[in-house]
Amino acid sequence: MVYEKFWSENPQIAKNKTEIWKLEKDGLKIFDDIPHYAANGFDSIPKENWDMFKWAGLYLQRPKEAGYWMMRVVIPGGILTYDQQITLANIAKDYGRDVYDITTRQAIQFHWLTIEQVPDILNRLEKVGMTTAGACGDITRNIIGNALAGIDPDELFDTREVLYDVFEYFSLNEDYSNLPRKYKMSISANIHNASNAEINCVSFNPATKVIDGVTEVGFHVKVGGGLSSVPMLAEELDLFILPEKTVEVAAAITTIFRDFGYREKRHRSRLKFLVADWGPEQFKEKLLEYTGPLPEKGESAVKGWNAGYFYGIHKQKQDGLNYVGVNIPVGRLNPDEVIEFAELAKKYGNGEIRNCNSQNLIIPNVPDEKLEELKQESIFERFPYQPKKFIGYSVSCTGIEYCNLALVETKNRMRTISETLDKEIDLDVPVRMHMVGCPNNCGQRAIAEIGLQGIKMKNQDKKMVEAFEIYVGGTLNEGGKFNEKLKGKVEAEQLYHVLKELILFFKETKLLSETFLDFVERVGIPELQSKLDDILTEVAV
């Protein structure tokens, strides 16, 4: 099918401003323009071209007119070599004002970049086999994988080669660089759903099937997941995908999204809206038109959900080797800390670092005989491999510090709240808390046990102030369930007190080893709402 012909002949496609410029010039062409803009400065960039920079992984920070950029770097599956880590750390040090953020999609973000610096940064990345293409924009984003791929005792099979093949197929591929909206994919064979399958546009998940008397390992596939202001859980197709068919199936699904996805209103252009309207059976039938016959579903190998957390020291599936899962509070490091981790990984392992979608990291391939010496390293005093119950399970988006869409400050607030709760409340279970600065849900608020969404509200003096809404009970276990909003708005200055009282209520009334999620399901939303009402009445006095 010829894309341009289909586009021009499809009466359902509205030629809105964004779609018009995407037809006139492919977003990936921005890489050709960057040297010119770098030579002539920020003022040489037409305002109407600002959005095109997303295809190069660049967003303007707030305020946009100041000319500072956030850059996101693609890291397929979250796996970094020693040389890549050192390169990234030096970019943050030389250009990014010492800010190095791990994202909820295993990528890396820099801040405070200027257009003049971008060519050198891209050159440095290219030298170590890295790119920013596809990190942002209406294109296939960084592909999430199992952070333990290849070393995981709990994986059905090693998915690294499959993931890299899919990544290479889509990377810089102009056949798929003009999608209706951003497009998120995950490929994992971890049996604990480490890749958060249900909130991806497309996810390949571990499964088995007996074919011609032989038990084959492969994938089930889910489509149509996503968060933002209208969260939806992905739907499973009645198909079994052999590993060698993954690229073909991924291409077919992406082609369907490209050619049939909605383009009239950008807030309804994600794949999830097409899947919701078509349903999984119609989507499957269209997919088979592209791929030809595929086997029906087999047996899912998924046994639960670990939310991407791998803390502690654990045996790998390779005899004599171990991995160490480390907490990086809300995903933020400085360059010296990145270099320190890189040197540890080189000294005790093979130089690799694995980024987790929980904004943490893993040091893999540590021999048994080096474990005791590694455990004595002082860096684990700041970044423990056995973190406390709140800071170890806190996630945050970028927030108003840099993001043009955010309404409130998040990163430092989430860290301060979590660390203070750890000092004041002792629990026998962790509590997963996610904070977001706006409805776009980059911090994945909807799947948290306690989700905190930033808003603006009028205080008693009729002034607009930062505030939060509280959601409870999110999970991706057994297909997933998004958390539910409790009524009431909490001023940012009162948020710590309100959360503390709510968690103390949990501590005082919970059963032994009961998680906050189980507690919400046992006591019910009305009981929690009543408690929150009492707390809000108290703080209002």
Side-chain angles (χ1 to χ4, degrees):
M1 182 176 291
V2 179
Y3 179 34
E4 291 78 11
K5 181 178 179 181
F6 180 88
W7 177 278
S8 62
E9 292 182 356
N10 188 341
Q12 298 179 6
I13 295 175
K15 305 293 196 300
N16 64 51
K17 184 174 67 173
T18 300
E19 295 300 336
I20 289 172
W21 77 250
K22 288 198 299 180
L23 276 179
E24 293 173 345
K25 184 175 183 178
D26 189 272
L28 289 174
K29 298 298 185 185
I30 191 63
F31 283 101
D32 298 333
D33 299 334
I34 284 175
H36 168 78
Y37 293 137
N40 292 278
F42 180 72
D43 290 341
S44 70
I45 306 173
K47 190 172 183 178
E48 59 268 23
N49 287 359
W50 287 358
D51 279 352
M52 189 179 288
F53 279 83
K54 295 176 184 178
W55 274 251
L58 290 157
Y59 283 97
L60 279 167
Q61 293 178 191
R62 68 187 307 145
K64 292 184 178 181
E65 293 74 14
Y68 290 105
W69 302 84
M70 178 276 284
M71 174 183 278
R72 192 176 294 150
V73 182
V74 172
I75 303 173
I79 300 175
L80 287 164
T81 67
Y82 172 82
D83 289 341
Q84 289 172 340
Q85 294 166 75
I86 297 299
T87 296
L88 292 169
N90 285 329
I91 290 170
K93 180 178 291 189
D94 295 344
Y95 298 127
R97 299 191 186 180
D98 291 343
V99 178
Y100 180 102
D101 284 343
I102 303 172
T103 78
T104 54
R105 293 196 63 79
Q106 299 178 299
I108 292 298
Q109 286 183 181
F110 302 122
H111 298 279
W112 298 112
L113 310 183
T114 66
I115 190 62
E116 292 85 356
Q117 299 163 348
V118 171
D120 181 54
I121 294 171
L122 294 177
N123 184 54
R124 294 189 192 190
L125 292 172
E126 184 178 7
K127 286 180 178 179
V128 290
M130 304 186 79
T131 183
T132 61
C136 315
D138 299 349
I139 194 168
T140 301
R141 299 292 185 89
N142 191 48
I143 302 175
I144 290 287
N146 174 19
L148 294 179
I151 65 173
D152 187 1
D154 292 323
E155 67 181 355
L156 193 61
F157 60 99
D158 182 356
T159 51
R160 286 176 295 181
E161 183 177 351
V162 173
L163 188 148
Y164 291 143
D165 285 346
V166 176
F167 166 73
E168 290 294 336
Y169 178 81
F170 286 105
S171 183
L172 296 172
N173 186 340
E174 291 188 12
D175 287 341
Y176 298 101
S177 57
N178 182 356
L179 302 178
R181 278 297 302 277
K182 57 188 174 183
Y183 181 67
K184 299 180 177 181
M185 190 182 301
S186 68
I187 300 172
S188 170
N190 174 272
I191 65 172
H192 300 299
N193 190 14
S195 62
N196 297 345
E198 290 77 14
I199 60 171
N200 284 281
C201 302
V202 181
S203 62
F204 292 88
N205 313 300
T208 61
K209 185 176 176 67
V210 177
I211 300 176
D212 297 330
V214 177
T215 299
E216 302 281 1
V217 297
F219 299 110
H220 286 167
V221 61
K222 292 187 175 185
V223 295
L227 297 180
S228 194
S229 57
V230 185
M232 296 185 189
L233 294 165
E235 302 242 31
E236 191 164 75
L237 304 180
D238 186 13
L239 296 171
F240 177 78
I241 313 300
L242 291 166
E244 61 266 26
K245 299 284 285 185
T246 309
V247 172
E248 180 184 352
V249 173
I253 293 172
T254 312
T255 300
I256 293 171
F257 179 45
R258 183 194 69 187
D259 291 351
F260 296 94
Y262 306 140
R263 294 178 184 259
E264 182 176 0
K265 299 176 181 178
R266 285 187 63 77
H267 67 280
R268 283 188 53 83
S269 293
R270 294 285 300 277
L271 179 64
K272 62 186 178 182
F273 294 104
L274 181 66
V275 173
D277 287 348
W278 281 12
E281 188 58 33
Q282 181 180 343
F283 197 96
K284 170 193 167 184
E285 293 307 313
K286 177 58 68 174
L287 175 61
L288 294 177
E289 291 179 17
Y290 290 81
T291 63
L294 291 170
E296 295 179 347
K297 282 195 304 185
E299 294 291 327
S300 173
V302 176
K303 305 299 182 185
W305 179 52
N306 66 8
Y309 290 104
F310 297 100
Y311 292 139
I313 299 174
H314 303 276
K315 294 290 184 181
Q316 295 179 191
K317 65 182 181 182
Q318 294 86 3
D319 289 341
L321 293 180
N322 307 269
Y323 70 86
V324 183
V326 183
N327 176 227
I328 308 300
V330 295
R332 180 159 289 177
L333 293 163
N334 67 48
D336 289 338
E337 291 163 343
V338 177
I339 292 171
E340 191 172 356
F341 273 117
E343 296 299 342
L344 283 183
K346 187 175 183 181
K347 178 179 179 181
Y348 295 101
N350 67 339
E352 276 187 1
I353 288 285
R354 311 284 188 95
N355 287 349
C356 304
N357 55 348
S358 54
Q359 298 182 309
N360 298 298
L361 59 78
I362 293 166
I363 302 172
N365 301 306
V366 179
D368 290 343
E369 59 271 20
K370 292 185 177 182
L371 271 181
E372 287 306 315
E373 184 181 356
L374 173 63
K375 288 160 64 174
Q376 304 308 312
E377 293 285 351
S378 62
I379 197 168
F380 297 125
E381 297 172 11
R382 292 169 285 148
F383 303 100
Y385 52 82
Q386 293 177 327
K388 295 181 179 179
K389 299 298 194 298
F390 292 101
I391 191 59
Y393 298 84
S394 292
V395 172
S396 174
C397 71
T398 297
I400 204 171
E401 184 179 11
Y402 302 120
C403 179
N404 287 281
L405 300 176
L407 302 172
V408 302
E409 198 279 327
T410 56
K411 276 278 187 196
N412 292 327
R413 177 174 282 133
M414 184 77 265
R415 180 169 186 168
T416 299
I417 286 174
S418 299
E419 289 178 338
T420 308
L421 286 171
D422 276 319
K423 292 177 182 176
E424 299 191 358
I425 300 178
D426 184 29
L427 282 177
D428 62 337
V429 293
V431 178
R432 293 185 297 102
M433 296 194 299
H434 292 219
M435 181 178 285
V436 297
C438 77
N440 284 291
N441 239 319
C442 294
Q444 302 176 344
R445 181 274 300 159
I447 63 174
E449 290 178 307
I450 298 179
L452 305 167
Q453 183 162 311
I455 58 172
K456 292 287 190 182
M457 66 172 283
K458 286 186 179 180
N459 64 9
Q460 293 179 337
D461 298 325
K462 306 300 181 183
K463 294 181 179 179
M464 296 300 294
V465 296
E466 294 187 7
F468 287 85
E469 294 173 330
I470 299 177
Y471 296 70
V472 295
T475 181
L476 290 183
N477 263 322
E478 298 179 356
K481 172 184 174 294
F482 293 133
N483 48 31
E484 298 181 56
K485 183 168 71 173
L486 299 178
K487 297 176 183 177
K489 300 174 180 178
V490 183
E491 287 191 43
E493 292 183 358
Q494 300 170 339
L495 182 60
Y496 173 74
H497 174 75
V498 171
L499 285 174
K500 178 182 177 182
E501 292 301 312
L502 200 61
I503 291 167
L504 284 173
F505 173 64
F506 164 58
K507 179 179 180 178
E508 292 161 1
T509 55
K510 72 187 291 295
L511 305 177
L512 183 64
S513 300
E514 185 177 37
T515 67
F516 191 85
L517 175 66
D518 291 337
F519 175 73
V520 172
E521 293 177 350
R522 178 172 65 85
V523 305
I525 295 296
E527 183 73 14
L528 285 164
Q529 183 65 63
S530 177
K531 181 61 180 179
L532 180 60
D533 290 343
D534 291 343
I535 297 170
L536 293 178
T537 298
E538 172 197 329
V539 298
V541 174

